[in-house]
Amino acid sequence: MVSWVATSRSNAETATPLSVSTDTGRTHVSRSRVKLRARDRAQLVAFAIRSGWWL
């Protein structure tokens, strides 16, 4: 999910190709933020880029 967020996709754009609802996509992004201790979506994107997950 983090790699999808790093491509600047909205929750709906992230959820659709994964065949999950927008609410489920939002939940996954939120839980990823908590697990990675990112304070916001931008920090989550920065983490993905530093980790090479956005390729």
Side-chain angles (χ1 to χ4, degrees):
M1 186 60 67
V2 174
S3 61
W4 287 87
V5 172
T7 60
S8 301
R9 296 175 191 232
S10 68
N11 288 329
E13 291 170 331
T14 302
T16 302
L18 300 175
S19 300
V20 297
S21 72
T22 302
D23 289 338
T24 301
R26 185 179 307 121
T27 299
H28 285 303
V29 170
S30 176
R31 288 183 180 169
S32 296
R33 283 182 42 221
V34 170
K35 287 180 181 181
L36 296 172
R37 297 183 181 147
R39 68 178 165 267
D40 54 21
R41 228 176 142 96
Q43 196 173 30
L44 190 60
V45 170
F47 179 84
I49 291 170
R50 281 194 311 266
S51 300
W53 289 357
W54 67 284
L55 299 173

